[in-house]
């Protein structure tokens, strides 16, 4: 599912980077008119051009295409049970978990994650809790 209006995204980023169409076109070895067509959504850059744009703008291709937003929309909605089962399987390498592991994962990771508000918080929190658990301080 590709984000719409990639041209608007490309133009906004170019302007934020204080670059002219001529500057970017020269770096890409294309005409200014070609870049203009991309920014007006009259055509799309090819993959090589997207890679070069990501380097020029110092941004990921996912960011240029706004794919991060699309990926977040496609993430499954986990219930506490699904999240707990997934984490237990991952942490225990699909081996039979100990009751202590189940209790820790459920109460110290899953419940707080389900009440968290941002994916960055979830990732940080899960990483910190897992490090603590693996270190044996939990």
């Amino acid at each position: 599912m590709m984000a719409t209006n990639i041209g608007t995204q490309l133009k906004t980023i170019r302007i934020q980077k204080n670059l002219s169409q001529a500057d970017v076109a020269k770096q890409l070895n294309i005409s200014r008119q070609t870049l203009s067509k991309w920014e007006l959504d009259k055509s799309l850059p090819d993959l090589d051009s997207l890679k070069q744009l990501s380097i020029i703008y110092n941004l990921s291709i996912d960011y240029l295409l706004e794919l991060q937003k699309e990926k977040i929309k496609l993430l499954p909605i986990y219930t506490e049970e699904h999240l707990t089962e997934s984490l237990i399987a991952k942490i225990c390498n699909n081996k039979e978990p100990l009751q202590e592991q189940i209790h820790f994962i459920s109460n110290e990771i899953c419940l707080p994650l389900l009440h968290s508000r941002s994916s960055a918080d979830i990732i940080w929190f899960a990483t910190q809790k897992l490090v603590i658990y693996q270190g044996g301080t939990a």
Side-chain angles (χ1 to χ4, degrees), residues 70-135:
E70 298 300 323
K71 287 178 183 176
I72 290 169
K73 288 180 195 173
L74 296 174
L75 287 175
I77 297 172
Y78 282 104
T79 64
E80 179 185 348
E81 185 179 321
H82 288 112
L83 186 57
T84 303
E85 288 173 6
S86 296
L87 283 171
I88 289 170
K90 186 72 173 174
I91 291 170
C92 299
N93 294 321
N94 293 314
K95 295 177 184 167
E96 189 66 32
L98 303 171
Q99 280 303 113
E100 175 187 304
Q101 291 171 311
I102 294 170
H103 177 77
F104 179 83
I105 293 167
S106 179
N107 294 328
E108 299 296 322
I109 297 177
C110 295
L111 285 176
L113 283 178
L114 291 170
H115 295 98
S116 183
R117 294 190 180 162
S118 80
S119 58
D121 290 341
I122 290 172
I123 293 167
W124 179 86
F125 187 79
T127 303
Q128 294 304 310
K129 290 291 185 176
L130 188 56
V131 167
I132 290 168
Y133 179 76
Q134 289 178 340

Side-chain angles (χ1 to χ4, degrees), residues 18-116:
N18 294 318
L19 295 168
S20 69
Q21 283 185 336
D23 294 332
V24 175
K26 184 177 180 182
Q27 290 183 56
L28 292 171
N29 200 27
I30 60 171
S31 70
R32 189 200 56 76
Q33 290 79 6
T34 298
L35 183 61
S36 178
K37 287 180 184 178
W38 295 346
E39 291 183 356
L40 294 171
D41 287 312
K42 292 184 177 180
S43 67
L44 292 171
D46 60 26
L47 185 57
D48 286 335
S49 297
L50 277 174
K51 288 193 307 192
Q52 289 177 312
L53 283 167
S54 74
I55 293 167
I56 293 167
Y57 296 152
N58 194 28
L59 297 168
S60 71
I61 291 175
D62 276 6
Y63 184 87
L64 289 176
L65 298 177
E66 295 186 333
L67 290 177
Q68 286 304 108
K69 292 177 188 175
E70 298 300 323
K71 287 178 183 176
I72 290 169
K73 288 180 195 173
L74 296 174
L75 287 175
I77 297 172
Y78 282 104
T79 64
E80 179 185 348
E81 185 179 321
H82 288 112
L83 186 57
T84 303
E85 288 173 6
S86 296
L87 283 171
I88 289 170
K90 186 72 173 174
I91 291 170
C92 299
N93 294 321
N94 293 314
K95 295 177 184 167
E96 189 66 32
L98 303 171
Q99 280 303 113
E100 175 187 304
Q101 291 171 311
I102 294 170
H103 177 77
F104 179 83
I105 293 167
S106 179
N107 294 328
E108 299 296 322
I109 297 177
C110 295
L111 285 176
L113 283 178
L114 291 170
H115 295 98
S116 183

